[in-house]
Amino acid sequence: MYESAVVPRCTIGPASVPRLFLGDHGYLAKLDSSMTVDEVVESMRALLSTLPVGLSAGEPRVVDAALRALHGRGCRDIMIHTDLRATLGGQYIRYRDVAATMTAHLARFGTDLSKDPVLGFLYRAGCDGSDLTPATELLHLDRTNAESTLADINRAGPIVVSIGGDWLDLLLVLGRLELALTGLTEIAEAAAAQGAAVLLTTYFGAMLEQPALEPLLGIVDGLLVPLNHAGYGTLPTLAEHLAWVDSVGLPVIGMHTVSGAATIEEAFSWLNRPGVAALVIGAASPQHQEDLASAARAYFDRSRS
């Protein structure tokens, strides 16, 4: 049952979650954001002053910003996103090699996403990388990354922790399911101790052998996956991706919902789909925040009437 609020809430696992989160794409240093932490805080506060959204945070400095932005508001509506980084024989793995491995895997299925605005970066990043498949047995979980994630969870007390992405998918496509399960379990236990909902993030769910995924799905409360009508980031096709999501039967938070959409309003239509609990939509600039707030108010007002 949804609470009556400007941004309604729903229940995922143990947590009461807002149905809209501000995405962090425009704030991430790893994606070349030039914004300082102070600027990220002010940007988050600007939207929160008009719309009580949740805040996504995919790196420690954005977690810091989210905590500061929410200070004094009596809630910790933060979604921490993390991935399961790996090392090769204890050594750092270049992201270009991760990307090269993923694109090689997709090529074996005849999948070309070089023009996909969500996953096309794999092709660009992996063009001069090396396929890690021959070194599969030398992969290990990166303890430094795991400890950083656990520290973020413990200090932030988030309501959602999403786990996965390129590195988790790397482990899955290479068959290192035991590493994926070990890493996911450790983070899920820390998140559960904070009362957070635990989400699995994967782009490859519909392309994997489903029995292999069952242990992972058994310890999460929901999914964080791409949802957009253009089918960007949905593998192998939008129809097959949605069929897999439906078969899992867990609550879903949709990301990349604006990709290929003519308007932000179009993205909100995904909230009408059964099983879709919430959306993550990025808006770092004042104009984008104004557009997001306007679309959100219109949608949620109609939903309450």
Side-chain angles (χ1 to χ4, degrees):
M1 180 179 295
Y2 299 118
E3 301 172 7
S4 177
V6 175
V7 176
R9 303 180 77 89
C10 63
T11 299
I12 302 179
S16 173
V17 175
R19 300 199 75 195
L20 179 62
F21 284 83
L22 174 64
D24 62 1
H25 189 280
Y27 303 143
L28 296 174
K30 63 186 177 184
L31 295 181
D32 299 323
S33 172
S34 61
M35 296 180 71
T36 66
V37 173
D38 287 346
E39 288 171 336
V40 173
V41 172
E42 290 308 309
S43 176
M44 289 176 169
R45 285 176 177 165
L47 183 59
L48 287 170
S49 68
T50 61
L51 196 67
V53 294
L55 301 175
S56 303
E59 59 189 24
R61 75 179 207 120
V62 183
V63 174
D64 292 338
L67 286 170
R68 288 172 55 189
L70 288 170
H71 181 71
R73 291 183 174 271
C75 70
R76 289 219 170 165
D77 285 346
I78 297 173
M79 178 196 300
I80 288 180
H81 178 70
T82 188
D83 207 344
L84 300 181
R85 290 185 66 95
T87 63
L88 184 62
Q91 301 299 311
Y92 173 80
I93 296 176
R94 303 177 305 170
Y95 180 75
R96 70 186 68 174
D97 296 335
V98 175
T101 306
M102 306 302 278
T103 53
H105 179 81
L106 290 169
R108 287 194 285 273
F109 287 88
T111 304
D112 180 3
L113 297 177
S114 57
K115 297 181 181 179
D116 184 313
V118 173
L119 292 177
F121 70 91
L122 289 173
Y123 288 82
R124 296 188 294 274
C127 63
D128 60 349
S130 301
D131 188 346
L132 296 168
T133 302
T136 295
E137 297 305 315
L138 298 177
L139 294 176
H140 300 280
L141 293 175
D142 184 337
R143 284 307 309 164
T144 300
N145 180 72
E147 289 166 4
S148 175
T149 295
L150 296 175
D152 281 343
I153 292 171
N154 290 333
R155 69 192 175 90
I159 57 167
V160 177
V161 175
S162 66
I163 310 165
D166 304 330
W167 291 86
L168 172 62
D169 281 338
L170 173 74
L171 297 176
L172 295 178
V173 302
L174 292 180
R176 295 303 307 271
L177 302 175
E178 79 288 358
L179 288 184
L181 184 59
T182 296
L184 186 67
T185 299
E186 180 180 30
I187 297 171
E189 289 176 350
Q194 297 290 337
V198 179
L199 306 184
L200 177 71
T201 300
T202 176
Y203 293 91
F204 283 74
M207 299 183 71
L208 298 167
E209 295 292 333
Q210 295 312 295
L213 282 178
E214 289 175 2
L216 304 181
L217 295 171
I219 60 175
V220 300
D221 302 302
L223 302 174
L224 175 68
V225 293
L227 291 178
N228 60 78
H229 296 291
Y232 294 141
T234 61
L235 296 173
T237 65
L238 176 59
E240 290 169 290
H241 171 73
L242 293 177
W244 174 73
V245 168
D246 290 341
S247 73
V248 170
L250 291 173
V252 173
I253 296 183
M255 61 179 177
H256 301 304
T257 51
V258 181
S259 295
T263 63
I264 292 181
E265 287 80 3
E266 182 181 329
F268 277 90
S269 66
W270 285 102
L271 288 175
N272 299 327
R273 194 174 197 276
V276 177
L279 303 178
V280 179
I281 299 179
S285 72
Q287 183 60 57
H288 286 164
Q289 289 190 354
E290 183 179 331
D291 293 343
L292 176 58
S294 175
R297 288 195 200 94
Y299 176 82
F300 291 127
D301 284 349
R302 288 196 304 270
S303 298
R304 287 194 297 270
S305 62

